[in-house]
Amino acid sequence: GAVVSQHPSWVICKSGTSVKIECRSLDFQATTMFWYRQFPKQSLMLMATSNEGSKATYEQGVEKDKFLINHASLTLSTLTVTSAHPEDSSFYICSARDQGLREKLFFGSGTQLSVL
Amino acid sequence: DQQVKQNSPSLSVQEGRISILNCDYTNSMFDYFLWYKKYPAEGPTFLISISSIKDKNEDGRFTVFLNKSAKHLSLHIVPSQPGDSAVYFCAASEGNNNDMRFGAGTRLTVKP
C-alpha cells in the first residue's frame, strides 16, 4: 500500500524555538496533504489542508502565522511550528490522499512535540 | 465542536469473541464513514468504510453497521484476535469535502 513518511517522530524543544515537521508521500503524488493535531484523549483535529503550489487552507482557530505550511512539491509538505510554547505540545500527524478517493487517505506515523 | 464521538476510550475482549466498537455523529450531512486502525508508533491505516446509502458493509472479520436515524455506526470484529489490539478511529466526511472528522479513538485489547 501507499506509504507516507513523517519525520521526526519525536522532538523536544525549548520555548521560543521553531520546529519543522516533514511529511512525504513515498510512492504516490499527493496534490493535497492534511495536517492534524491530537491532544491526549481527544480527537484528531484537522488543522489545515496543504495544497501543492498554493497557500494552505487553515481551519478556524488555527493561527496560520504560527503553523507555517509549505507544500513545495507533489511529495513533500512541511509544517513549521514557529516560536513554540508549552501549549503547542501535542501529537501532530499528516496524511496524504492518493487518487482523490476518500478511503485512499494515508497517514504518517505522527510527531510527538514537547515544548519545555 | 466534536462532530464525531467515540464514548468508550477502551475495550477489552477475549480472543475468539466479538468486539463491538461504537461511534456517534451529530452532522446529518455526513455521507461517508470510515474506520481506521492504529498501532503504536504508526499512523492510522484504513480498515473499512461505508456510504450512507448502505446500512452494512462486510469485509472478512470486519463489519460496519450504519444507523442513520440514530446517527450511529459500529464496527464488529468476529472473531477477535490478539493482533486486532490497537486504537480504532471512527471518521466521517460530507460529499467531496476533504474535511474528515475523527473520533477520539477506542483502544481495543484482545486477550489470548
Side-chain angles (χ1 to χ4, degrees):
Chain A
V3 177
V4 173
S5 175
Q6 183 174 344
H7 294 281
S9 56
W10 183 69
V11 59
I12 297 176
C13 69
K14 292 182 179 180
S15 185
T17 61
S18 295
V19 174
K20 180 186 281 188
I21 304 170
E22 290 190 351
C23 181
R24 293 180 185 272
S25 57
L26 297 185
D27 52 2
F28 67 98
Q29 293 183 331
T31 55
T32 305
M33 291 186 176
F34 305 92
W35 288 96
Y36 302 83
R37 178 170 54 186
Q38 185 181 26
F39 292 108
K41 299 183 180 180
Q42 295 187 23
S43 308
L44 278 170
M45 299 299 295
L46 180 66
M47 298 176 64
T49 302
S50 170
N51 302 296
E52 187 267 336
S54 64
K55 292 182 179 180
T57 304
Y58 290 82
E59 294 300 301
Q60 191 173 9
V62 178
E63 300 176 57
K64 62 180 182 181
D65 294 330
K66 182 168 186 61
F67 299 99
L68 300 179
I69 291 173
N70 185 283
H71 194 156
S73 75
L74 287 172
T75 59
L76 173 64
S77 176
T78 60
L79 168 68
T80 301
V81 184
T82 61
S83 186
H85 289 99
E87 58 265 30
D88 298 324
S89 298
S90 185
F91 183 72
Y92 294 85
I93 193 165
C94 70
S95 69
R97 191 184 301 281
D98 185 13
Q99 301 174 21
L101 299 176
R102 284 188 281 194
E103 63 268 24
K104 300 291 186 181
L105 189 66
F106 300 96
F107 285 83
S109 54
T111 299
Q112 183 64 52
L113 171 64
S114 296
V115 184
L116 305 179
Chain B
D1 177 22
Q2 212 161 344
Q3 298 185 41
V4 178
K5 297 181 181 179
Q6 291 175 259
N7 293 319
S8 297
S10 63
L11 174 68
S12 182
V13 171
Q14 204 68 33
E15 180 179 7
R17 298 290 185 97
I18 184 172
S19 296
I20 300 177
L21 297 100
N22 294 302
C23 178
D24 297 290
Y25 60 96
T26 57
N27 187 347
S28 58
M29 299 302 291
F30 286 145
D31 62 354
Y32 200 75
F33 305 88
L34 309 91
W35 284 94
Y36 285 83
K37 178 179 179 181
K38 183 184 182 303
Y39 291 116
E42 295 182 12
T45 55
F46 170 74
L47 185 60
I48 192 170
S49 64
I50 187 167
S51 165
S52 61
I53 63 173
K54 294 185 175 181
D55 54 18
K56 175 183 175 182
N57 189 26
E58 189 173 352
D59 183 3
R61 296 186 296 114
F62 302 91
T63 303
V64 56
F65 294 92
L66 175 63
N67 182 334
K68 291 185 288 294
S69 60
K71 295 192 180 67
H72 176 86
L73 67 155
S74 60
L75 174 67
H76 293 212
I77 306 174
V78 180
S80 301
Q81 299 174 354
D84 296 330
S85 297
V87 176
Y88 290 79
F89 289 97
C90 168
S93 68
E94 172 189 344
N96 290 320
N97 194 332
N98 287 321
D99 186 0
M100 190 176 294
R101 302 286 180 175
F102 286 85
T106 298
R107 181 177 300 279
L108 173 66
T109 302
V110 180
K111 298 180 178 179

